[in-house]
Coordinates of all heavy atoms in Angstrom, one line a residue:
M1 N -57.4 17.7 29.3 CA -56.0 17.5 29.7 C -55.9 18.2 31.1 O -56.2 19.3 31.1 CB -55.0 18.0 28.7 CG -53.6 17.9 29.1 SD -53.0 16.2 28.9 CE -53.0 15.9 27.3
D2 N -55.5 17.3 32.1 CA -55.2 17.9 33.3 C -53.7 18.0 33.5 O -53.0 17.1 33.1 CB -55.8 17.0 34.4 CG -57.2 17.1 34.5 OD1 -57.9 17.9 34.0 OD2 -57.8 16.2 35.2
T3 N -53.2 19.0 34.1 CA -51.8 19.2 34.2 C -51.6 19.8 35.6 O -52.4 20.5 36.3 CB -51.2 20.3 33.2 OG1 -52.0 21.7 33.5 CG2 -51.4 19.9 31.9
R4 N -50.3 19.5 36.3 CA -50.1 20.0 37.5 C -48.5 20.1 37.6 O -47.8 19.2 37.0 CB -50.4 18.9 38.6 CG -50.2 19.5 40.1 CD -50.9 18.7 41.1 NE -50.1 17.5 41.3 CZ -48.9 17.5 42.1 NH1 -48.6 18.5 42.8 NH2 -48.3 16.3 42.3
V5 N -48.0 21.3 38.1 CA -46.6 21.5 38.1 C -46.3 21.5 39.7 O -47.2 21.5 40.5 CB -46.1 22.8 37.4 CG1 -46.3 22.6 36.0 CG2 -46.8 23.9 38.0
E6 N -45.0 21.3 40.0 CA -44.6 21.2 41.4 C -45.0 22.6 42.2 O -44.8 23.5 41.8 CB -43.1 21.3 41.2 CG -42.3 21.3 42.6 CD -40.8 21.4 42.4 OE1 -40.4 21.7 41.2 OE2 -40.1 21.1 43.3
G7 N -45.8 22.2 43.3 CA -46.1 23.3 44.2 C -47.5 23.9 43.8 O -48.0 24.8 44.5
Y8 N -48.2 23.5 42.8 CA -49.6 24.0 42.3 C -50.5 22.9 42.2 O -50.2 21.7 42.1 CB -49.4 24.8 41.0 CG -48.7 26.0 41.1 CD1 -47.4 26.1 41.2 CD2 -49.4 27.2 41.1 CE1 -46.6 27.3 41.3 CE2 -48.7 28.5 41.3 CZ -47.5 28.5 41.3 OH -46.8 29.7 41.5
S9 N -51.8 23.3 42.2 CA -52.9 22.3 41.9 C -53.1 22.0 40.6 O -52.6 22.6 39.7 CB -54.2 22.8 42.7 OG -54.6 24.1 42.1
W10 N -54.0 21.1 40.4 CA -54.4 20.5 39.0 C -55.1 21.7 38.2 O -55.9 22.5 38.8 CB -55.3 19.3 39.0 CG -54.6 18.2 39.5 CD1 -54.6 17.6 40.7 CD2 -53.7 17.2 38.7 NE1 -53.8 16.5 40.6 CE2 -53.3 16.3 39.5 CE3 -53.4 17.3 37.4 CZ2 -52.5 15.2 39.0 CZ3 -52.5 16.4 36.8 CH2 -52.0 15.4 37.6
K11 N -54.7 21.8 37.0 CA -55.3 22.8 36.0 C -55.8 22.0 34.8 O -55.2 21.1 34.3 CB -54.3 23.8 35.6 CG -54.7 24.7 34.4 CD -55.3 25.9 34.8 CE -55.6 26.8 33.6 NZ -56.9 27.4 33.7
R12 N -57.2 22.3 34.4 CA -57.8 21.5 33.5 C -57.9 22.4 32.1 O -58.4 23.6 32.3 CB -59.2 21.1 33.9 CG -60.0 20.4 32.8 CD -61.1 19.4 33.3 NE -60.6 18.4 33.8 CZ -61.4 17.3 34.2 NH1 -62.6 17.4 33.9 NH2 -60.9 16.2 34.8
F13 N -57.4 21.9 31.0 CA -57.6 22.5 29.8 C -58.7 21.7 29.0 O -58.5 20.6 28.7 CB -56.2 22.5 28.9 CG -55.3 23.3 29.7 CD1 -54.2 22.8 30.4 CD2 -55.2 24.7 29.6 CE1 -53.2 23.5 31.0 CE2 -54.3 25.5 30.1 CZ -53.3 25.0 30.9
R14 N -59.7 22.3 28.6 CA -60.8 21.7 27.9 C -60.7 21.7 26.4 O -60.3 22.7 25.9 CB -62.2 22.4 28.4 CG -62.4 22.2 29.8 CD -63.8 22.5 30.2 NE -64.1 22.4 31.7 CZ -64.2 21.2 32.3 NH1 -64.5 20.2 31.7 NH2 -64.5 21.2 33.7
G15 N -61.2 20.8 25.7 CA -61.2 20.5 24.3 C -62.7 20.7 23.8 O -63.5 21.1 24.4
V16 N -62.8 20.1 22.5 CA -64.1 20.1 21.9 C -64.6 18.7 21.7 O -63.7 17.8 21.4 CB -64.1 20.7 20.5 CG1 -65.4 20.9 19.8 CG2 -63.4 22.3 20.6
Q17 N -65.7 18.5 21.9 CA -66.3 17.0 21.7 C -66.2 16.5 20.4 O -66.4 17.2 19.3 CB -67.9 16.9 22.1 CG -68.2 17.1 23.6 CD -69.6 16.9 23.8 OE1 -70.4 17.0 23.0 NE2 -69.9 16.5 25.2
K18 N -65.7 15.4 20.3 CA -65.6 14.5 19.0 C -64.7 15.2 18.1 O -64.9 15.0 16.8 CB -67.0 14.3 18.3 CG -67.9 13.5 19.3 CD -69.3 13.2 18.6 CE -70.2 12.4 19.5 NZ -71.5 12.2 19.0
R19 N -63.7 15.8 18.5 CA -62.7 16.4 17.7 C -61.4 16.2 18.3 O -61.2 16.3 19.6 CB -62.9 17.9 17.4 CG -64.2 18.2 16.6 CD -64.1 19.6 16.2 NE -65.4 19.8 15.4 CZ -66.0 20.9 15.4 NH1 -65.5 22.1 16.1 NH2 -67.0 21.1 14.6
S20 N -60.3 16.1 17.5 CA -58.9 16.3 18.0 C -58.5 17.6 18.2 O -59.0 18.5 17.4 CB -58.0 15.5 17.0 OG -58.2 14.2 16.9
I21 N -57.7 17.9 19.2 CA -57.3 19.4 19.4 C -55.8 19.3 19.5 O -55.2 18.3 19.9 CB -58.0 19.9 20.6 CG1 -57.5 19.1 21.9 CG2 -59.4 20.0 20.6 CD1 -57.8 19.8 23.1
Y22 N -55.2 20.4 19.3 CA -53.8 20.7 19.3 C -53.7 21.5 20.7 O -54.2 22.6 20.8 CB -53.2 21.4 18.1 CG -51.7 21.8 18.2 CD1 -50.9 20.7 18.1 CD2 -51.4 23.1 18.5 CE1 -49.5 21.0 18.2 CE2 -50.0 23.4 18.6 CZ -49.1 22.4 18.5 OH -47.9 22.6 18.6
L23 N -52.9 21.1 21.6 CA -52.7 21.7 22.8 C -51.5 22.4 22.9 O -50.5 21.8 22.9 CB -53.0 20.7 24.1 CG -53.1 21.3 25.5 CD1 -54.2 22.2 25.5 CD2 -53.1 20.2 26.4
D24 N -51.4 23.8 22.9 CA -50.2 24.6 23.1 C -50.5 25.6 24.0 O -50.9 26.7 23.5 CB -49.8 25.0 21.6 CG -48.4 25.8 21.7 OD1 -47.7 25.6 22.7 OD2 -48.2 26.5 20.8
K25 N -50.4 25.4 25.3 CA -50.8 26.4 26.3 C -49.5 27.0 27.0 O -48.5 26.2 27.3 CB -51.8 25.9 27.3 CG -53.0 25.5 26.7 CD -53.8 26.6 26.3 CE -55.2 26.1 25.8 NZ -56.2 27.2 25.5
V26 N -49.5 28.2 27.3 CA -48.4 28.8 28.2 C -49.0 29.5 29.4 O -50.0 30.1 29.3 CB -47.6 29.8 27.4 CG1 -46.6 30.5 28.2 CG2 -47.0 29.2 26.2
I27 N -48.6 29.1 30.6 CA -48.9 29.7 31.9 C -48.1 30.8 32.2 O -46.8 30.6 32.2 CB -49.1 28.7 32.9 CG1 -49.9 27.5 32.7 CG2 -49.6 29.4 34.3 CD1 -51.4 27.8 32.4
Y28 N -48.5 32.0 32.4 CA -47.6 33.1 32.4 C -47.2 33.6 33.9 O -46.8 34.6 34.2 CB -48.2 34.4 31.8 CG -48.1 34.3 30.3 CD1 -49.4 34.0 29.5 CD2 -47.0 34.5 29.6 CE1 -49.3 33.8 28.3 CE2 -47.0 34.2 28.1 CZ -48.2 34.0 27.6 OH -48.3 33.8 26.2
D29 N -47.4 32.6 34.8 CA -46.9 32.7 36.2 C -45.4 32.5 36.2 O -45.0 31.2 35.8 CB -47.7 31.8 37.1 CG -47.2 32.0 38.6 OD1 -46.4 32.8 38.9 OD2 -48.0 31.4 39.4
G30 N -44.7 33.4 36.6 CA -43.2 33.2 36.6 C -42.7 32.0 37.4 O -41.7 31.2 37.0
A31 N -43.3 31.7 38.5 CA -42.9 30.5 39.4 C -43.2 29.2 38.6 O -42.4 28.2 38.7 CB -43.7 30.6 40.7
V32 N -44.3 29.2 38.0 CA -44.6 27.9 37.1 C -43.6 27.7 36.1 O -43.2 26.6 35.8 CB -46.1 28.0 36.7 CG1 -46.3 26.9 35.7 CG2 -46.9 28.0 37.7
Q33 N -43.1 28.8 35.4 CA -42.2 28.5 34.3 C -40.9 28.1 34.8 O -40.1 27.6 34.0 CB -42.1 29.8 33.6 CG -43.4 30.2 32.8 CD -43.3 31.6 32.0 OE1 -42.3 32.2 32.1 NE2 -44.3 31.8 31.3
Q34 N -40.5 28.3 36.1 CA -39.2 28.0 36.6 C -39.2 26.6 37.3 O -38.2 26.2 37.6 CB -38.8 29.0 37.7 CG -38.7 30.4 37.1 CD -37.4 30.4 36.1 OE1 -36.4 29.8 36.2 NE2 -37.8 31.1 35.0
T35 N -40.3 25.8 37.3 CA -40.4 24.6 38.0 C -39.8 23.5 37.1 O -39.6 23.6 35.9 CB -41.9 24.1 38.2 OG1 -41.7 23.0 39.0 CG2 -42.5 24.0 37.0
G36 N -39.2 22.4 37.7 CA -38.7 21.3 36.9 C -39.5 20.1 36.9 O -39.0 19.2 36.2
Q37 N -40.6 20.0 37.5 CA -41.4 18.9 37.5 C -42.9 19.1 37.0 O -43.5 20.2 37.5 CB -41.5 18.2 38.9 CG -40.0 17.9 39.5 CD -40.2 17.4 40.9 OE1 -41.1 17.7 41.6 NE2 -39.1 16.8 41.4
A38 N -43.4 18.2 36.3 CA -44.8 18.3 35.9 C -45.4 17.0 35.8 O -44.8 16.0 35.5 CB -44.9 19.0 34.6
W39 N -46.8 16.9 36.0 CA -47.6 15.8 35.8 C -48.8 15.9 34.9 O -49.3 17.1 34.9 CB -48.2 15.3 37.2 CG -47.2 14.9 38.1 CD1 -46.8 13.5 38.3 CD2 -46.4 15.6 39.1 NE1 -45.8 13.5 39.4 CE2 -45.6 14.7 39.8 CE3 -46.3 17.0 39.3 CZ2 -44.7 15.3 40.7 CZ3 -45.4 17.5 40.2 CH2 -44.5 16.6 41.0
L40 N -49.0 15.1 33.9 CA -50.1 15.2 32.9 C -51.0 14.0 33.0 O -50.6 12.9 33.4 CB -49.6 15.3 31.5 CG -48.6 16.6 31.2 CD1 -48.1 16.3 29.9 CD2 -49.4 17.9 31.4
R41 N -52.3 14.2 32.6 CA -53.1 13.1 32.5 C -54.3 13.5 31.5 O -54.6 14.6 31.5 CB -53.7 12.6 33.7 CG -54.6 13.5 34.4 CD -55.1 13.0 35.7 NE -56.0 14.0 36.4 CZ -56.5 13.8 37.6 NH1 -56.1 12.8 38.3 NH2 -57.2 14.8 38.3
A42 N -54.6 12.7 30.6 CA -55.8 12.9 29.8 C -57.1 12.4 30.3 O -57.0 11.2 30.8 CB -55.5 12.2 28.4
C43 N -58.1 13.1 30.2 CA -59.5 12.8 30.8 C -60.5 13.1 29.8 O -60.4 13.9 28.9 CB -59.7 13.7 32.0 SG -58.7 13.5 33.5
R44 N -61.5 12.2 29.9 CA -62.7 12.3 29.2 C -63.9 12.8 30.1 O -64.2 12.1 31.0 CB -63.1 11.0 28.5 CG -64.3 11.0 27.7 CD -64.5 9.7 26.9 NE -65.0 8.7 27.9 CZ -65.6 7.6 27.6 NH1 -65.8 7.4 26.2 NH2 -66.0 6.7 28.4
D45 N -64.4 13.9 29.7 CA -65.6 14.4 30.5 C -66.8 13.8 30.1 O -67.2 13.8 29.0 CB -65.6 16.0 30.3 CG -66.6 16.6 31.3 OD1 -67.2 16.0 32.2 OD2 -66.9 17.8 31.1
R46 N -67.5 13.1 31.1 CA -68.7 12.3 30.7 C -69.9 12.9 31.3 O -71.0 12.3 31.4 CB -68.5 11.0 31.4 CG -67.3 10.2 30.8 CD -67.1 8.8 31.3 NE -68.4 8.0 31.2 CZ -68.6 6.9 31.9 NH1 -67.7 6.4 32.7 NH2 -69.7 6.3 31.7
G47 N -69.9 14.2 31.6 CA -71.0 15.1 32.2 C -71.0 15.0 33.7 O -70.1 14.6 34.3
S48 N -72.1 15.6 34.1 CA -72.2 15.8 35.7 C -72.7 14.7 36.4 O -72.4 14.6 37.5 CB -73.1 17.1 35.9 OG -74.5 16.7 35.3
L49 N -73.2 13.7 35.7 CA -73.8 12.5 36.5 C -72.8 11.3 36.5 O -73.1 10.4 37.4 CB -75.1 12.1 35.9 CG -76.3 13.2 36.0 CD1 -77.6 12.7 35.3 CD2 -76.5 13.6 37.3
R50 N -72.0 11.3 35.6 CA -71.0 10.2 35.5 C -69.7 10.6 35.8 O -69.3 11.8 35.4 CB -71.2 9.4 34.2 CG -72.5 8.9 34.0 CD -72.5 8.1 32.7 NE -72.4 8.9 31.5 CZ -72.2 8.4 30.3 NH1 -72.3 7.1 30.1 NH2 -72.1 9.3 29.3
P51 N -68.8 9.8 36.5 CA -67.4 10.2 36.7 C -66.6 10.4 35.5 O -66.9 9.6 34.4 CB -66.8 9.3 37.7 CG -67.7 8.0 37.4 CD -69.0 8.5 37.0
D52 N -65.6 11.2 35.5 CA -64.7 11.3 34.3 C -63.8 10.1 34.1 O -63.5 9.4 35.2 CB -63.8 12.6 34.4 CG -64.5 13.8 34.4 OD1 -65.8 13.8 34.0 OD2 -64.0 15.0 34.7
N53 N -63.4 9.7 33.0 CA -62.4 8.6 32.8 C -61.1 9.2 32.5 O -60.9 10.2 31.7 CB -62.7 7.9 31.6 CG -63.9 7.0 31.7 OD1 -64.4 6.7 32.9 ND2 -64.5 6.5 30.5
C54 N -60.1 9.0 33.4 CA -58.8 9.7 33.2 C -57.6 8.6 33.0 O -57.8 7.5 33.6 CB -58.4 10.5 34.4 SG -59.5 11.9 34.6
S55 N -56.7 8.9 32.3 CA -55.6 8.0 32.2 C -54.7 8.1 33.5 O -54.8 9.0 34.3 CB -54.6 8.5 30.9 OG -54.1 9.8 31.2
D56 N -53.6 7.3 33.5 CA -52.7 7.3 34.6 C -51.8 8.6 34.4 O -51.8 9.2 33.4 CB -51.7 6.1 34.4 CG -52.5 4.8 35.0 OD1 -53.5 4.9 35.5 OD2 -52.0 3.8 34.4
H57 N -51.2 9.1 35.6 CA -50.5 10.2 35.5 C -49.0 10.0 34.8 O -48.5 8.9 35.0 CB -50.2 10.7 37.0 CG -51.3 11.0 37.8 ND1 -51.7 10.3 38.8 CD2 -52.3 12.1 37.6 CE1 -52.7 10.9 39.4 NE2 -53.2 11.9 38.7
V58 N -48.7 10.9 34.1 CA -47.4 10.9 33.4 C -46.5 11.9 33.9 O -46.8 13.1 34.1 CB -47.5 11.0 31.9 CG1 -46.1 10.9 31.2 CG2 -48.4 9.9 31.3
Y59 N -45.3 11.5 34.4 CA -44.4 12.5 35.1 C -43.3 12.9 34.1 O -42.8 12.1 33.3 CB -43.7 11.8 36.3 CG -42.6 12.5 37.0 CD1 -42.9 13.6 37.7 CD2 -41.4 12.1 36.8 CE1 -42.0 14.4 38.3 CE2 -40.4 12.9 37.5 CZ -40.7 14.0 38.2 OH -39.7 14.7 38.9
Y60 N -43.1 14.2 34.0 CA -42.0 14.8 33.2 C -41.1 15.6 34.0 O -41.6 16.3 35.1 CB -42.5 15.8 32.1 CG -43.3 15.0 31.1 CD1 -44.7 14.9 31.1 CD2 -42.7 14.4 30.0 CE1 -45.3 14.2 30.1 CE2 -43.4 13.7 29.0 CZ -44.8 13.7 29.1 OH -45.4 13.0 28.2
E61 N -39.8 15.6 33.8 CA -38.8 16.4 34.6 C -38.0 17.2 33.5 O -37.6 16.5 32.6 CB -38.0 15.5 35.5 CG -37.2 16.3 36.5 CD -36.5 15.4 37.4 OE1 -36.8 14.2 37.4 OE2 -35.9 16.0 38.4
R62 N -37.8 18.4 33.8 CA -36.9 19.3 33.0 C -35.6 19.0 33.3 O -35.1 18.9 34.3 CB -37.2 20.7 33.2 CG -36.5 21.7 32.4 CD -36.7 23.1 32.7 NE -38.2 23.4 32.3 CZ -38.8 24.4 32.6 NH1 -38.2 25.5 33.3 NH2 -40.1 24.7 32.3
S63 N -34.7 18.7 32.2 CA -33.5 18.5 32.4 C -32.6 19.8 32.6 O -33.0 20.9 32.1 CB -32.8 17.8 31.1 OG -32.9 18.7 29.9
T64 N -31.7 19.7 33.4 CA -30.9 21.0 33.7 C -29.5 20.9 32.9 O -28.7 20.2 33.2 CB -30.5 21.0 35.2 OG1 -29.9 19.9 35.7 CG2 -31.7 21.1 36.1
R65 N -29.6 21.8 32.0 CA -28.3 22.0 31.1 C -27.7 23.3 31.4 O -28.1 24.2 31.6 CB -28.8 21.9 29.6 CG -29.4 20.6 29.3 CD -29.4 20.7 27.8 NE -30.2 19.3 27.4 CZ -30.3 19.0 26.1 NH1 -29.8 19.8 25.2 NH2 -30.9 17.8 25.8

């Protein structure tokens, strides 16, 4: 899973081959926790010789209540 929040570069969270994983990660940078925009995409790592397969970017915006 690749993630990116407003003002930061992409961060990759790796899983395990041929298994489903539960992704529950917290980034403890205070500026990242205060952002209101995030982009996500799921990728399949195909090794070093072939390019990764990635889904389209999905945009999320935090509601201000």
Side-chain angles (χ1 to χ4, degrees):
M1 178 70 70
D2 287 346
T3 60
R4 186 171 78 83
V5 295
E6 177 184 17
Y8 286 82
S9 61
W10 288 97
K11 169 87 172 131
R12 179 164 284 193
F13 296 102
R14 298 197 181 270
V16 179
Q17 285 187 339
K18 298 182 182 181
R19 291 190 182 153
S20 297
I21 62 166
Y22 179 74
L23 186 64
D24 185 16
K25 300 284 186 180
V26 176
I27 305 297
Y28 290 101
D29 184 353
V32 172
Q33 292 179 358
Q34 297 298 321
T35 189
Q37 299 174 342
W39 293 264
L40 298 174
R41 67 181 175 189
C43 292
R44 182 176 70 163
D45 186 5
R46 298 177 58 193
S48 60
L49 298 177
R50 297 187 292 174
D52 295 348
N53 290 342
C54 293
S55 67
D56 293 333
H57 299 114
V58 178
Y59 173 73
Y60 290 97
E61 188 167 6
R62 182 181 293 174
S63 62
T64 56
R65 290 186 188 194

